[in-house]
Amino acid sequence: MKKIGFLSFGHWTPSPQSRAQSAADALLQSIDLAVEAERVGMDGAYFRVHHFAQQLASPFPLLAAVGGKTRKIEIGTAVIDMRYENPHYMAEDAGAADLISGGRLQLGISRGSPEQVIDGWRYFGYRPIEGEDDADMGRRHAEEFLELLRGKGFAQANPRPMFPNPPGLLRLEPYSAGLRDRIWWGSASNATAAWAAKLGMNLQSSTLKFDESGEPLHIQQAAQIRAFRAAWKEAGHTRSPRISVSRSIFALLDDRDRGYFGRGSQEEDKIGFLDENTRAIFGRSYAAEPDLLIEQLRKDEAIAEADTLLLTIPNQLGVSYNAHVIEAILTTVAPALGWR
């Protein structure tokens, strides 16, 4: 394990128990937490994207703001639902945010997950073309986005432009060289992991995966990662891919930790259905004293296979407490797992 980042869903709710009571709270605290995470030595600040929910949504203003406030930490998403995205506009936004951050963007994209509304992407103006379903549409948007990130010109120049044009076909601007290699695919199945590898995307595997074998999540994820690597090698890519897995992990160091997470920790994976036909496995959470956590996490085959671990954080508990959660893992658990 080479890198560790946090993953925030950016929830807010007007509840006395929540430190994030509004969208402004969630956004501004996300920036502050990234600054704190960088200060204590964390490698990445990642954000989940949901629409029609009291959570973080369209991510590029936040990513750019984090990029302007930090200097070293990777800044990413896990994941952007491509069913909702205009690939051309997204390429411009991503290029701008990457340039602001000095080339630190790590964009996780995907076909999406169960959402708050029925076919929400329709309200954004998108429809599957004939022969597609919404998942196919999301993958098509992703392939268009990847092609645009190559920076090749494709648009015929106006012979009488407002401003002088460079020669030849025009590309989208601003263009950020290298961003194409920092796109990740959030995969819930072995097949889509192999598809992502063929296209040269990095792999993100979360705490939710299609149940393809009946085995524990970490074993299924490890098999998924091996399938991804095999497809990557077969595709003949010259660079090494990045691979991340997500986990909920809390080191119990003080009474606050024990009060929040010391009772009723989910110690086993759970099985559920995403729809009538899709059986899924939801990963367990970890909450224990550091020595026990180290022992438990050493048995996690997917963490051993991946190079990056994303820690889901309870953002509604506030910046200060989440900075404590992050620092506790980095100082008492991560070194024993091979980090740095």
Side-chain angles (χ1 to χ4, degrees), residues 3 89 159 216 239 263 299 335:
K3 294 181 181 291
Y89 205 101
R239 69 176 179 89
R263 298 185 298 274
K299 299 175 183 177

mmCIF file of all heavy atoms in Angstrom, residues 3 89 159 216 239 263 299 335:
data_model
loop_
_atom_site.group_PDB
_atom_site.id
_atom_site.type_symbol
_atom_site.label_atom_id
_atom_site.label_comp_id
_atom_site.label_asym_id
_atom_site.label_seq_id
_atom_site.Cartn_x
_atom_site.Cartn_y
_atom_site.Cartn_z
ATOM 1 N N LYS A 3 -0.308 4.585 -1.003
ATOM 2 C CA LYS A 3 -0.981 5.847 -0.735
ATOM 3 C C LYS A 3 -2.277 5.623 0.049
ATOM 4 O O LYS A 3 -2.933 4.589 -0.114
ATOM 5 C CB LYS A 3 -1.295 6.583 -2.041
ATOM 6 C CG LYS A 3 -0.062 7.056 -2.811
ATOM 7 C CD LYS A 3 -0.450 7.787 -4.080
ATOM 8 C CE LYS A 3 0.773 8.236 -4.866
ATOM 9 N NZ LYS A 3 1.515 9.313 -4.170
ATOM 10 N N TYR A 89 -18.048 19.448 -21.986
ATOM 11 C CA TYR A 89 -17.997 20.430 -20.897
ATOM 12 C C TYR A 89 -17.145 19.899 -19.751
ATOM 13 O O TYR A 89 -16.364 20.627 -19.116
ATOM 14 C CB TYR A 89 -19.421 20.730 -20.417
ATOM 15 C CG TYR A 89 -19.590 22.074 -19.764
ATOM 16 C CD1 TYR A 89 -20.151 23.149 -20.463
ATOM 17 C CD2 TYR A 89 -19.197 22.280 -18.450
ATOM 18 C CE1 TYR A 89 -20.316 24.383 -19.877
ATOM 19 C CE2 TYR A 89 -19.357 23.513 -17.847
ATOM 20 C CZ TYR A 89 -19.911 24.564 -18.557
ATOM 21 O OH TYR A 89 -20.064 25.793 -17.970
ATOM 22 N N PRO A 159 -13.206 30.401 -40.474
ATOM 23 C CA PRO A 159 -12.245 31.181 -41.282
ATOM 24 C C PRO A 159 -12.217 32.657 -40.906
ATOM 25 O O PRO A 159 -11.264 33.360 -41.251
ATOM 26 C CB PRO A 159 -12.738 30.974 -42.715
ATOM 27 C CG PRO A 159 -14.185 30.627 -42.587
ATOM 28 C CD PRO A 159 -14.303 29.861 -41.306
ATOM 29 N N PRO A 216 -16.291 -13.589 0.596
ATOM 30 C CA PRO A 216 -16.204 -12.273 1.244
ATOM 31 C C PRO A 216 -15.756 -11.197 0.262
ATOM 32 O O PRO A 216 -15.065 -11.484 -0.730
ATOM 33 C CB PRO A 216 -15.158 -12.505 2.341
ATOM 34 C CG PRO A 216 -15.229 -13.959 2.644
ATOM 35 C CD PRO A 216 -15.526 -14.624 1.328
ATOM 36 N N ARG A 239 2.592 2.014 -19.149
ATOM 37 C CA ARG A 239 2.712 2.492 -17.767
ATOM 38 C C ARG A 239 2.071 1.498 -16.806
ATOM 39 O O ARG A 239 1.306 0.619 -17.204
ATOM 40 C CB ARG A 239 2.061 3.870 -17.603
ATOM 41 C CG ARG A 239 0.558 3.872 -17.731
ATOM 42 C CD ARG A 239 -0.028 5.255 -17.462
ATOM 43 N NE ARG A 239 -1.488 5.249 -17.602
ATOM 44 C CZ ARG A 239 -2.331 4.974 -16.610
ATOM 45 N NH1 ARG A 239 -1.862 4.677 -15.405
ATOM 46 N NH2 ARG A 239 -3.640 4.996 -16.826
ATOM 47 N N ARG A 263 -19.233 0.607 19.606
ATOM 48 C CA ARG A 263 -20.329 -0.334 19.837
ATOM 49 C C ARG A 263 -21.061 -0.584 18.523
ATOM 50 O O ARG A 263 -21.344 0.342 17.756
ATOM 51 C CB ARG A 263 -21.323 0.222 20.853
ATOM 52 C CG ARG A 263 -20.706 0.452 22.223
ATOM 53 C CD ARG A 263 -21.778 0.889 23.225
ATOM 54 N NE ARG A 263 -22.392 2.165 22.835
ATOM 55 C CZ ARG A 263 -21.884 3.346 23.155
ATOM 56 N NH1 ARG A 263 -20.772 3.419 23.852
ATOM 57 N NH2 ARG A 263 -22.499 4.459 22.790
ATOM 58 N N LYS A 299 -5.243 -9.280 6.953
ATOM 59 C CA LYS A 299 -5.944 -10.410 6.349
ATOM 60 C C LYS A 299 -6.793 -9.993 5.152
ATOM 61 O O LYS A 299 -7.392 -10.836 4.486
ATOM 62 C CB LYS A 299 -6.837 -11.090 7.393
ATOM 63 C CG LYS A 299 -6.081 -11.663 8.581
ATOM 64 C CD LYS A 299 -7.043 -12.211 9.628
ATOM 65 C CE LYS A 299 -6.300 -12.726 10.847
ATOM 66 N NZ LYS A 299 -7.240 -13.195 11.904
ATOM 67 N N PRO A 335 1.564 2.522 9.094
ATOM 68 C CA PRO A 335 2.962 2.074 8.932
ATOM 69 C C PRO A 335 3.130 0.559 9.016
ATOM 70 O O PRO A 335 3.963 -0.016 8.298
ATOM 71 C CB PRO A 335 3.676 2.781 10.089
ATOM 72 C CG PRO A 335 2.852 4.011 10.326
ATOM 73 C CD PRO A 335 1.445 3.577 10.120
#
